[in-house]
């Protein structure tokens, strides 16, 4: 074949008709490759004496395309285009005139240029051609300012009540936009707008109703009156009726029902009457309004559910989808109310529309009872192969909720999850299944063995590094606590042989945990770890060497960070600083990690926690606050007066004792020791030409004076302008109590004037004092967050007789997640095992918290929370500690909060 024939063949292929269903045909954009400069050159055709209407339309279309694509015109370019476009008003071509209106709105000329086109637009407003009148109104209202608006108000009011629906609708929509420019003028149209509400045209009626509501939106009484009037009138437009329903729904949400059955809800009868409307749009809008009512009751839902049940059998896919989607939302709060729809929903499982089928399945999983689970799972099994991963994820999440609702059926559900886990699927789908199994293991202890076995089988063929590492971590955490931990060793060590370096490193860490927590497996673990010393990857070899060194200790107590149920956490900043100091000094001695102070403000696991777990258990403060606390601790620990106090148990964040704009700025940091308490007052002088000397703080106990005895007060010798310094006050406290206290604080100093010329302070000064805010010591100052890796193991080791259980009401909360955060922030404790994460829509949840009281007294808490339909949260709190007094103290703190 010749080159010419080839070219001709290509041209013919590209020239195929665009309406042919040819997958290989290419579609080309008519705007491909256009440039702003070239289009501006083409715009000169607007100045031709003989206008070519078709060409002008094409140029305006290109200009509009450039604007919509984000290209901007300079002021000069926009002005030139605007003046050129104004010359097109002389053309009588109606299509060109419509394009002119569009480009003027898009360019939006400045105030001094608008006057040029105003006369033409006002002429069009009074044109006998209705199309010109409507478009002229829209353009003029879009480009005019509040000053010019008064001149055309008369024309706009006439247009509102115009007999032509297009003109009237244009004026009404323009009025909605003009409310933001000059609301006073638009409000004067009230009578005209009220008149158009009775228009026979549905669009005019819709726009008139929207404008009238906008005019009265800031007057609640006027809105109620308007809604009452609209609900009594016979509105024909389905669009307008839908708008009325939305206004009614808003009025109901802003009002308070007088009783739980909804009898006191205003306009609720109107919503029920709309359920019998001829328009499907109005019916569904009424259904949606009823479903979204605050604290809606099953009795109120029943009429809406009946209508939705009829929609489920509709021949229109859009109605079936809307109905099942609404029922899915109802099922989250009122699953029992949908029992009558189960038969219709089961029929939708085989629907050709996969979105409808997926929603039907997830809704059935929420509404089904325990006896129907087996039947539903059989239907889902055949269904899962025909849908995409995004729909499968929705089904798996519904199964997770179902397993927590019916824990007795966990075996059936786990078997189903295991079967779909072995099937083909993408990362997000597999990740969702794994997280579902982990959640079931966490909430249902009886499912642990089966769940871990299924996960062990899965990693044999898992192609995703992230999931393999996550599962290996879980095996290391939970596997040693099962009845037969040895069966997991084979699966873990296979990963060392067959997987990439990241997974191999995770496997080494998991093996080490088995050796630590299962002494009878220690010889075998050591043998496997020795084989890992010859791995090709540095990380794997280093982990193996570290674990071998740790596991060879004579007792578990000598292994840092691996004592059962505990984890030692170090501040990142503190650890980094210690490492830098070690590198700068001589290396005669090995680096001693035990010398680093523990700090709960920014805990990072030093050991075998995965990054996800560290992130989950992280309770952080901004770096600047952490650095300030570390600097304060270092300053206190290096002072000879406080060396005998021992290590610092906790340092609290600085508290402001002065206002922001006062002449002296003082903050206080509380340092808690075993038997002592040091108050560090950081002082800053902000007064010009003045220096302070012999600075101290006098503390007078207002409350709790019997529990605190002052033993030292260290003065600050000098405090120049804008230079911060610290003065200290130390107290000895009763170590057996955690008594709160309140101190009245007074800043005392000697004030000396500074000579502006020499910058030296005068020799003579005068004593002065400055009253500070009262300083409080709370019981919570003596407790800090402390992580526990194996919560349930440590819980069982604490004395049962120290356990105290009580019930509390937390009041109205937005969600269980907010309730958990509230208790955590109140007590300052750390969530364990990721229990601070509450599943969306959960009605009950169990959170595990751990902390440490001064004196290294551990305290563990189990919070069981439940929330009802009104948002009222109830909590059962169980506390265990080494000391029964601590358990009772925690309950006192919760009661007082």
């Amino acid at each position: 074949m010749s080159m010419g024939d080839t070219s001709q063949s290509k041209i013919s292929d590209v020239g195929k008709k665009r309406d042919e269903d040819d997958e290989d045909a290419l579609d080309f954009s008519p705007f491909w490759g256009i440039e702003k400069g070239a289009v501006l050159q083409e715009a000169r055709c607007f100045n031709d004496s003989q206008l070519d209407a078709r060409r002008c339309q094409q140029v305006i279309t290109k200009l509009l395309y450039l604007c919509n694509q984000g290209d901007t015109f300079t002021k000069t370019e926009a002005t030139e285009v605007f003046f050129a476009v104004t010359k097109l008003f002389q053309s009588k071509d109606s299509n060109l005139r419509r394009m002119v209106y569009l480009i003027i709105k898009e360019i939006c000329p400045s105030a001094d240029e608008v006057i040029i086109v105003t006369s033409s637009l006002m002429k069009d407003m009074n044109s006998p051609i209705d199309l010109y009148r409507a478009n002229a109104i829209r353009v003029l209202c879009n480009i005019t300012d509040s000053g010019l608006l008064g001149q055309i108000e008369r024309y706009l009011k006439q247009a509102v009540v115009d007999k032509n629906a297009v003109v009237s609708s244009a004026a009404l929509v323009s009025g909605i936009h003009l409310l933001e420019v000059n609301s006073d003028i638009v409000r004067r149209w009230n009578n005209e707008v009220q008149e158009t509400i009775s228009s026979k045209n549905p669009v005019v009626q819709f726009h008139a109703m929207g404008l009238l509501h906008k005019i009265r939106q800031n007057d609640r009484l006027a809105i109620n009156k308007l809604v009452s009037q609209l609900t009594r009138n016979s509105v024909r437009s389905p669009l307008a009726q839908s708008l009325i329903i939305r206004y009614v729904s808003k009025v109901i949400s802003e009002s308070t029902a007088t009783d739980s059955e909804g009898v006191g809800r205003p306009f609720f009868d109107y919503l029920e009457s709309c359920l019998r409307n001829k328009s499907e749009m109005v019916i569904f809008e009424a259904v949606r309004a009823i479903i979204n009512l605050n604290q809606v009751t099953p009795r109120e839902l029943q009429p809406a559910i009946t209508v939705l049940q009829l929609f489920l059998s509709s021949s229109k896919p859009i109605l079936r989808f809307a109905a099942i989607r609404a029922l899915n939302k109802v099922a989250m709060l009122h699953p029992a109310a949908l029992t009558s729809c189960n038969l219709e929903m089961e029929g939708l499982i085989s629907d050709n529309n996969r979105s409808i089928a997926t929603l039907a399945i997830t809704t059935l999983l929420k509404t089904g009872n325990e006896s129907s689970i087996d039947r539903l799972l059989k239907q889902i099994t055949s269904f899962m192969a025909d849908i995409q991963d995004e729909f499968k994820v929705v089904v798996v999440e519904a199964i997770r909720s179902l397993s927590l609702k019916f824990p007795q059926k966990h075996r059936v559900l786990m078997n189903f999850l295991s079967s779909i886990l072995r099937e083909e699927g993408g990362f997000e789908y597999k990740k969702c299944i794994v997280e579902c199994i982990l959640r079931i293991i966490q909430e249902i202890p009886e499912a642990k063995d089966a769940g871990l076995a299924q996960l062990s089988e899965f990693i044999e063929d898992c192609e995703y590094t992230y999931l393999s590492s996550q599962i290996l971590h879980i095996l290391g955490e939970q596997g040693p606590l099962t009845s037969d931990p040895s069966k997991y060793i084979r699966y873990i060590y296979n990963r060392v042989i067959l997987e990439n370096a990241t997974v191999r490193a995770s496997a080494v860490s998991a093996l080490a945990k088995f050796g630590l927590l299962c002494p009878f497996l220690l010889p075998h673990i050591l043998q496997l770890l020795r084989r890992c010393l010859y791995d090709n990857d540095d990380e794997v070899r280093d982990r193996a060497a570290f674990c071998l060194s740790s596991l060879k200790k004579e007792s578990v107590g000598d292994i840092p960070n691996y004592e059962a149920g505990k984890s030692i956490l170090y501040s990142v900043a503190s650890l980094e600083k210690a490492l830098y100091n070690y590198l700068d000094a001589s290396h005669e001695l090995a680096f001693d990690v035990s010398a680093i102070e523990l700090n709960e403000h920014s805990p990072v696991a030093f050991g075998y926690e995965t990054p996800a777990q560290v992130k989950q258990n992280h309770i952080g403060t901004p770096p600047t606050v952490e650095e300030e606390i570390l600097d304060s601790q270092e300053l206190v620990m290096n002072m000879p007066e406080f060396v005998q106090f021992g290590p610092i148990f906790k340092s609290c964040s600085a508290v402001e004792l002065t206002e922001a704009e006062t002449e002296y700025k003082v903050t206080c940091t509380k340092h808690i020791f075993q038997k002592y308490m040091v108050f560090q007052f950081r002082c800053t002088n902000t007064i010009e030409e003045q220096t302070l000397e012999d600075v101290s703080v006098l503390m007078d106990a207002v409350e709790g004076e019997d529990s605190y005895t002052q033993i030292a007060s260290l003065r600050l010798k000098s405090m120049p302008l804008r230079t911060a310094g610290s003065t200290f006050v130390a107290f000895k406290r009763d170590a057996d109590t955690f008594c709160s206290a309140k101190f009245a604080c007074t800043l005392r100093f000697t004030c000396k004037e500074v000579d502006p010329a020499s910058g030296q302070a005068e020799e003579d000064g005068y004593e002065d004092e400055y009253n500070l805010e009262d300083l409080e010591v709370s019981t919570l100052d003596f407790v800090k967050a402390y992580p526990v890796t194996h919560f349930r193991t440590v819980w069982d080791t604490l004395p049962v007789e120290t356990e105290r259980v009580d019930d509390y009401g937390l009041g109205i909360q937005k969600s269980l997640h907010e309730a958990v955060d509230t208790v955590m922030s109140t007590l300052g404790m750390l969530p364990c095992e990721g229990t601070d994460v509450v599943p969306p829509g959960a009605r009950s949840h169990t959170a595990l918290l751990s902390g440490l009281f001064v004196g290294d007294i551990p305290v563990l808490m189990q919070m069981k929370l439940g929330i009802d339909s009104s948002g009222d949260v109830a909590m059962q709190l169980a506390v265990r500690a080494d000391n029964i007094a601590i358990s009772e103290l925690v309950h006192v703190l919760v009661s007082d909060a």
Side-chain angles (χ1 to χ4, degrees), residues 430-565:
K430 297 291 186 180
K431 178 184 176 184
C432 184
I433 299 175
V434 170
E435 290 177 348
C436 179
I437 294 176
L438 295 180
R439 184 69 177 176
I440 294 175
I441 292 174
Q442 181 181 1
E443 296 291 336
I444 308 174
E446 295 82 3
K448 179 184 291 185
D449 288 342
L452 293 180
Q454 292 170 2
L455 294 176
S456 300
E457 293 285 348
F458 171 63
I459 59 174
E460 290 288 315
D461 300 313
C462 181
E463 57 183 315
Y464 303 109
T465 300
Y466 174 84
L467 294 181
S468 296
S469 299
Q470 184 184 24
I471 292 172
L472 286 169
H473 169 71
I474 296 299
L475 289 176
E477 291 288 332
Q478 303 294 335
L481 307 178
T482 59
S483 57
D484 185 14
S486 61
K487 65 181 180 181
Y488 303 107
I489 303 299
R490 174 175 64 87
Y491 298 104
I492 297 175
Y493 188 69
N494 282 346
R495 302 306 99 214
V496 177
I497 301 173
L498 303 173
E499 292 289 354
N500 57 48
T502 303
V503 179
R504 296 202 303 272
S506 300
V508 169
S509 299
L511 286 173
K513 291 189 177 181
F514 276 85
L516 170 70
L517 300 175
C518 304
F520 65 94
L521 293 176
L522 182 58
H524 306 287
I525 298 298
L526 292 175
Q527 183 179 359
L528 296 176
L529 290 176
R530 290 190 189 99
R531 298 179 185 177
C532 300
L533 294 174
Y534 304 100
D535 195 275
N536 296 329
D537 186 75
D538 292 343
E539 174 70 18
V540 179
R541 292 197 303 270
D542 291 346
R543 287 201 187 193
F546 174 75
C547 294
L548 276 171
S549 175
S550 299
L551 292 174
K552 286 179 180 178
K553 299 289 184 178
E554 293 182 1
S555 65
V556 174
D558 295 332
I559 303 176
N561 192 43
Y562 279 85
E563 186 177 353

Side-chain angles (χ1 to χ4, degrees), residues 263-283:
V263 176
R265 294 190 195 270
F267 308 114
F268 185 79
D269 292 339
Y270 176 78
L271 292 180
E272 285 189 318
S273 67
C274 290
L275 296 176
R276 298 182 291 274
N277 196 283
K278 296 180 180 179
S279 172
E280 295 165 344
M281 178 173 64
V282 175
I283 294 174

Side-chain angles (χ1 to χ4, degrees), residues 79-90:
T79 301
E80 291 177 355
V81 172
F82 172 70
F83 279 107
V85 166
T86 57
K87 298 180 181 179
L88 300 180
F89 275 101
Q90 60 185 322

Side-chain angles (χ1 to χ4, degrees), residues 156-189:
L156 294 176
K157 291 176 71 173
Q158 292 175 357
V160 168
V161 293
D162 196 275
K163 295 181 179 179
N164 187 281
V166 176
V167 176
S168 178
S169 181
L172 292 168
V173 173
S174 299
I176 294 175
H177 295 301
L178 288 175
L179 276 172
E180 301 177 2
V181 179
N182 195 327
S183 59
D184 293 334
I185 288 181
V186 180
R187 286 193 174 93
R188 293 202 290 264
W189 305 357

